[in-house]
Amino acid sequence: MNLPRVMALCLAASLPALAKPAPDRVAPNLPGVRADGSVLLPNQWSLRPAGKQIGLGDFPVNIAVHPSGRHAAILHAGFGQHEVVVVSLPDGKLVSRASLDEAFYGVVFSTDGSRLLVSGAGDEVVRILGFRDGVLSPVSEWPVRPVKERGIVSGVASSPSGDRVFATELYGGRVVALDGVDGHPLWATAVGVLGSANLDATQVSRDFDTAAAEKRAAAQKDPQSPDAPYPYGCVLEPASNRLFVSLWARAQVVVLDAATGRELGRWATEEHPNELILNRAGSLLFVANANRNTVSVFDTASGHPIETLSAALNADDPPGSTPNSLALSPDEQWLFVANAGNNAIAAFELGKPGKSRSLGLIPVGWYPTSVRVTPDGQYLLVANGKGVTSKANRHGPQPGRELPGGLREYIGGLFQGTLGIVKLPSKEKAPEYFAEQTDKVRKCSPAAPRPEVATSSRPRGNPIPSRVGGASPIRHVIYIIKENRTYDQVLGDMTEGNGDAALCLFPESVTPNHHAIAREFVLLDNFYVDSEVSADGHEWSMGAYATDFVEKNWPLSYGHNAKGKFPYPAEGTLPVARPANGYLWDRASAAGVTYRSYGEWIGTTGTNGAARARVASLEGHFDPGFHPYDLMFPDTKRADRFLEELHRFEREGEMPRLQIVRLPNDHTYGTAVGKPTPRAMLADNDLAFGRLVEGVTRSKFWKDTAIFVLEDDAQNGPDHVDAHRSIAFVISPYTKRRFRDSTMYSTCSMLRTMELVLGLKPMSQFDAAAVPMFHSFQASADRSPYHCRPVTSDLGEKNLAAAWGADASAAMDFTKEDAADDLVLNEVIWRSVKGPSSAMPAPRRAAFVVVGDDDD
């Protein structure tokens, strides 16, 4: 497509004189440390962690307390270096750290404390580390299956005598028993469906000749199969010699004979059972259910459920608390539950079985993944997966500028975890303590009244209803999803907003429509995505939630996938990733609202390339003529197709009330030789965006339509405010014109606003609590159309062989989202736009602040 023809496609309206943006009623509410000591996160939630915080590494996921109580070993399994960090207790001083090639969740001390057993994940081993005076040393690696196969060792457990070791295979769908002396296999059981293949000790050879069993269990091993069980944690009950295993994807606990691996039964839990623990007598089994805010409690003698505990702040809260770890006090009177989504620990008093009562909640750090109690019962230990604050990444991913642990300012590894050490109250002081801490947790929710967000209150006559089912003059919603840009990368040059022009890669000369739409409608310069990368970004964008499965798997898929064992865990590729309440289209279906997808969660068949829905609820609700994710296909042609459909709907008299449109090409190809340059791809994306908006504003549906636009994530670039800050747009006759709205909004704010317009129930706690975008809308309508700006960049510009980073780009996989290494891709894009010798600006950072009450 040549430049003159492209220009002819737009109405080349002259730019109007700039009007001064309307002033904000209060100062912008930015992420970071607040005057009261709390930390405001970019998702609108706050942190007020109790106790003291000890800096750790990238995404701590599990804690093992040494039998002596003098040390704790914390396993890390994030995007960056996997490792075990040992701290002394109760002071939390770092004693040692041991790097691992790969790990996932499983870590446990032997009964005598001389050994630490650790998951080997895709290395398909259980690692045995020696432990002495806080220092770890490698002892052995016991194979669970051949490394060329995919099992992914997850949970590990040991018998009290140490004669047997048990391991679960997350993707392999098996539970395996190993000899505790030399690691030779004893039995292996596939746990996908009742009556699965089982191999006892006489059938399992030392070289794992398990072909017959694997053949029978083939369907269960397919991670995309609905039968895939995803065995997660395991715990041994010595008295009855039974092994209890949580099946992450099946809402079940499977009970196995620990001697033979024979299946003894299955107990129903709620969705996403993960960590499970037994009391000392082995009479009670507690199971955390991440997708339902609950803990299931079973009588192990009968297998009957005794009670279900709600760990959420309120019993009727929608999903989102994400309980994913459990701990009992030494006297077994208190149960603690790590709520990753609420950044809190729920506490229960365990009286007579079935009569437990809530004590309250304790605020902790960001995304707690593990909770333990010291053997003396004095301290609560909490691994906070994402630490205690979000951060800016003005430096962005760039070789040579490293963070602790060797990580650069790439969002995938930017937020280093912490260990929280919280002094527990005496039984006498517990009521007062938990009342005070629970009040702090309530204040951390966006739903809590806060003076600084007064602008979010709904003005009289606002077109966005205050409740689901309220009247609105807006009937149709068009939701556009784009890929991977920060605010500063695109709109950083707009003097009207809070931008950093030095970080702007695609200024107005490249993206005239992004700029014109922000200027003519609402400039949102304080909008944040709720995600880190595309894997959780499309989940948040469509479901207002990323499940514990997605949160714990995407760091492996992105940072530890050299062996190709970790599938992309999102967008309908794996059924286990689905949130309890489904996605936006599921809510629309339940409410009788018509909906249609254009490329979002749509794939192609391997035979003829025909479009196909990745989830059942989109069958019959997508446009087969709209090209799904494929960077070779121009976004301008996607806009052509959408406008064709829009004109058809005009002829027919109605269009779906909810339409979801994907315009992905701002992702770019880097500098892959022969492919469009990053500048050309952003210009293509910009022109498609402008033409689509113009087409809608000139249609018969404009009078009652609102267009909402965001990036699924902001990972691929720097931003001087926060690594999550991104571009976003709201376009409607009812949006304010030439207005800057610096109210703090997030992905879930946009979803909540659309839900209120369409009459849809919230999908999770996060959209239910999010601040709606009231401040961007007005009661009166301005139906004047938008005039698409012509491109000023060459859409045919191609990367040359001499381009900086051409070789690196050629080696990247651009066939699916985020398969390319963003650490490299970001620098390639920067130098492509700014020049091969142009270095990124030096970082400008606030001092790192560790917050919390020192209860010591």
Side-chain angles (χ1 to χ4, degrees):
M1 184 179 290
N2 60 37
L3 186 59
R5 181 172 181 269
V6 170
M7 295 179 66
L9 294 173
C10 293
L11 289 174
S14 59
L15 292 173
L18 294 181
K20 184 178 180 180
D24 296 325
R25 283 177 278 176
V26 295
N29 206 27
L30 302 178
V33 181
R34 314 291 292 171
D36 62 0
S38 65
V39 173
L40 181 62
L41 297 176
N43 64 1
Q44 305 177 50
W45 292 67
S46 296
L47 300 177
R48 300 171 184 265
K52 62 184 178 183
Q53 303 295 319
I54 310 301
L56 295 174
D58 184 23
F59 202 50
V61 295
N62 204 347
I63 303 171
V65 179
H66 192 266
S68 70
R70 294 195 297 270
H71 296 95
I74 303 102
L75 178 66
H76 295 65
F79 171 86
Q81 179 65 58
H82 288 189
E83 61 180 337
V84 177
V85 175
V86 177
V87 301
S88 59
L89 298 175
D91 56 18
K93 292 181 179 177
L94 269 67
V95 178
S96 66
R97 55 201 321 155
S99 296
L100 306 172
D101 179 52
E102 206 169 280
F104 183 84
Y105 173 65
V107 60
V108 64
F109 277 105
S110 60
T111 303
D112 64 5
S114 65
R115 301 191 305 181
L116 185 71
L117 282 62
V118 184
S119 148
D123 289 334
E124 311 304 346
V125 297
V126 174
R127 291 192 170 91
I128 312 299
L129 304 177
F131 183 89
R132 184 173 181 179
D133 297 330
V135 178
L136 296 167
S137 58
V139 172
S140 186
E141 292 186 350
W142 294 343
V144 174
R145 69 162 65 227
V147 70
K148 65 182 180 180
E149 299 177 5
R150 176 165 59 187
I152 312 300
V153 175
S154 177
V156 294
S158 175
S159 63
S161 66
D163 65 330
R164 287 168 297 161
V165 170
F166 306 94
T168 63
E169 293 181 331
L170 192 69
Y171 284 87
R174 301 189 312 171
V175 181
V176 176
L178 306 174
D179 182 272
V181 177
D182 62 9
H184 78 262
L186 300 174
W187 53 256
T189 298
V191 292
V193 293
L194 190 63
S196 301
N198 169 245
L199 304 177
D200 63 23
T202 62
Q203 293 173 288
V204 182
S205 68
R206 294 182 69 87
D207 63 355
F208 279 79
D209 183 15
T210 60
E214 295 294 359
K215 185 175 181 180
R216 291 194 295 270
Q220 320 171 63
K221 289 170 55 185
D222 179 3
Q224 298 187 32
S225 167
D227 289 329
Y230 292 89
Y232 184 92
C234 58
V235 62
L236 177 69
E237 200 282 287
S240 64
N241 204 26
R242 291 180 297 171
L243 189 71
F244 300 100
V245 180
S246 58
L247 304 184
W248 217 2
R250 299 300 300 276
Q252 293 175 333
V253 168
V254 62
V255 186
L256 303 178
D257 182 327
T260 66
R262 183 171 60 91
E263 186 171 313
L264 303 176
R266 295 195 174 215
W267 302 345
T269 64
E270 294 190 309
E271 292 97 324
H272 282 216
N274 46 72
E275 189 160 279
L276 27 64
I277 60 171
L278 288 160
N279 63 353
R280 276 191 301 274
S283 58
L284 296 176
L285 178 71
F286 302 85
V287 187
N289 305 311
N291 256 20
R292 284 292 179 186
N293 304 340
T294 61
V295 176
S296 298
V297 186
F298 293 95
D299 174 2
T300 59
S302 65
H304 293 157
I306 295 175
E307 59 186 337
T308 299
L309 307 177
S310 174
L313 187 59
N314 305 292
D316 58 349
D317 283 345
S321 291
T322 320
N324 72 151
S325 184
L326 305 167
L328 285 167
S329 60
D331 62 8
E332 299 188 336
Q333 292 186 21
W334 288 355
L335 172 72
F336 298 96
V337 185
N339 283 343
N342 295 150
N343 311 316
I345 303 298
F348 295 88
E349 184 176 61
L350 304 176
K352 184 179 179 181
K355 301 292 184 180
S356 302
R357 70 178 187 89
S358 172
L359 292 169
L361 296 103
I362 302 171
V364 293
W366 192 5
Y367 208 84
T369 56
S370 186
V371 59
R372 301 290 181 256
V373 184
T374 55
D376 61 7
Q378 296 293 305
Y379 296 92
L380 198 67
L381 308 177
V382 182
N384 300 302
K386 300 183 183 182
V388 291
T389 184
S390 185
K391 301 176 184 178
N393 66 333
R394 190 179 189 276
H395 196 47
Q398 180 185 359
R401 304 290 301 197
E402 297 187 347
L403 293 175
L407 297 174
R408 305 182 185 102
E409 286 190 334
Y410 168 60
I411 196 170
L414 187 60
F415 314 115
Q416 299 289 284
T418 64
L419 175 68
I421 303 179
V422 182
K423 184 75 162 58
L424 289 171
S426 64
K427 295 296 190 291
E428 294 74 24
K429 294 183 178 180
E432 179 183 353
Y433 173 84
F434 282 108
E436 178 183 349
Q437 299 301 322
T438 301
D439 182 61
K440 290 182 180 180
V441 173
R442 290 187 183 278
K443 289 178 179 178
C444 289
S445 167
R450 294 203 303 272
E452 66 267 25
V453 292
T455 54
S456 66
S457 58
R458 180 179 182 269
R460 185 181 299 275
N462 195 273
I464 308 303
S466 59
R467 59 179 177 81
V468 172
S472 172
I474 302 171
R475 175 174 172 77
H476 298 99
V477 166
I478 299 171
Y479 183 24
I480 300 176
I481 314 297
K482 302 187 329 92
E483 287 281 338
N484 300 20
R485 295 289 149 220
T486 63
Y487 178 92
D488 276 341
Q489 278 189 304
V490 180
L491 299 181
D493 61 330
M494 287 191 68
T495 58
E496 301 94 326
N498 180 17
D500 187 338
L503 299 180
C504 186
L505 281 180
F506 306 106
E508 190 156 8
S509 60
V510 179
T511 55
N513 286 288
H514 285 72
H515 286 72
I517 290 168
R519 189 172 288 120
E520 292 187 20
F521 292 90
V522 179
L523 172 61
L524 299 168
D525 63 352
N526 202 18
F527 184 95
Y528 304 84
V529 291
D530 285 331
S531 58
E532 271 80 56
V533 298
S534 287
D536 61 329
H538 284 274
E539 296 289 322
W540 278 105
S541 298
M542 294 300 132
Y545 184 56
T547 64
D548 59 325
F549 174 83
V550 173
E551 291 279 9
K552 291 178 179 177
N553 274 266
W554 77 252
L556 304 178
S557 175
Y558 279 57
H560 292 265
N561 213 10
K563 304 180 189 75
K565 292 189 176 185
F566 297 102
Y568 179 70
E571 297 185 57
T573 57
L574 302 177
V576 65
R578 178 184 169 87
N581 283 334
Y583 300 98
L584 194 59
W585 43 79
D586 296 299
R587 283 307 203 206
S589 178
V593 171
T594 53
Y595 61 96
R596 200 166 197 234
S597 171
Y598 297 83
E600 182 68 2
W601 290 43
I602 306 301
T604 56
T605 62
T607 52
N608 58 8
R612 60 174 180 83
R614 289 178 175 165
V615 290
S617 47
L618 285 181
E619 291 289 355
H621 294 275
F622 72 94
D623 178 15
F626 190 94
H627 205 83
Y629 185 89
D630 174 3
L631 297 182
M632 287 296 294
F633 193 86
D635 278 343
T636 48
K637 289 187 177 180
R638 291 186 175 95
D640 287 343
R641 175 60 185 180
F642 179 84
L643 294 174
E644 286 177 15
E645 290 295 278
L646 179 67
H647 298 327
R648 178 173 69 84
F649 292 139
E650 286 189 288
R651 294 192 299 271
E652 294 175 355
E654 182 56 297
M655 69 178 182
R657 293 190 60 201
L658 170 64
Q659 297 180 88
I660 303 166
V661 184
R662 191 164 188 179
L663 295 178
N665 283 6
D666 55 342
H667 183 286
T668 85
Y669 263 115
T671 55
V673 177
K675 298 294 194 295
T677 63
R679 183 167 41 237
M681 295 195 76
L682 263 291
D684 166 64
N685 180 263
D686 177 82
L687 180 59
F689 180 30
R691 290 178 55 207
L692 191 152
V693 170
E694 181 182 52
V696 172
T697 64
R698 293 182 175 279
S699 75
K700 64 181 290 185
F701 303 111
W702 172 233
K703 64 182 184 299
D704 59 7
T705 293
I707 304 171
F708 296 85
V709 187
L710 53 62
E711 307 280 311
D712 73 296
D713 66 87
Q715 66 160 310
N716 193 4
D719 191 272
H720 83 283
V721 174
D722 190 274
H724 297 88
R725 194 171 69 134
S726 186
I727 54 174
F729 305 86
V730 287
I731 307 147
S732 173
Y734 292 94
T735 51
K736 295 175 181 176
R737 292 297 186 114
R738 305 186 65 75
F739 183 75
R740 172 187 175 189
D741 185 358
S742 293
T743 308
M744 186 183 201
Y745 297 129
S746 70
T747 299
C748 285
S749 294
M750 188 170 282
L751 287 167
R752 184 63 174 149
T753 307
M754 291 188 284
E755 290 164 350
L756 289 169
V757 167
L758 295 171
L760 311 183
K761 292 181 179 179
M763 295 174 283
S764 75
Q765 291 178 28
F766 300 99
D767 52 340
V771 174
M773 304 178 78
F774 294 135
H775 197 38
S776 290
F777 289 83
Q778 62 187 13
S780 59
D782 180 347
R783 297 181 185 174
S784 55
Y786 172 71
H787 302 286
C788 175
R789 272 46 173 185
V791 296
T792 54
S793 299
D794 180 5
L795 294 186
E797 184 181 51
K798 297 292 193 298
N799 293 312
L800 302 178
W804 197 97
D807 291 343
S809 298
M812 295 178 187
D813 180 3
F814 293 101
T815 60
K816 53 184 180 293
E817 306 86 329
D818 295 350
D821 185 345
D822 265 43
L823 288 169
V824 180
L825 180 59
N826 194 69
E827 186 174 14
V828 167
I829 295 172
W830 178 275
R831 293 181 187 270
S832 169
V833 175
K834 296 287 190 179
S837 61
S838 175
M840 291 185 181
R844 184 178 61 204
R845 298 283 297 269
F848 180 79
V849 179
V850 176
V851 298
D853 303 321
D854 190 348
D855 290 333
D856 251 340

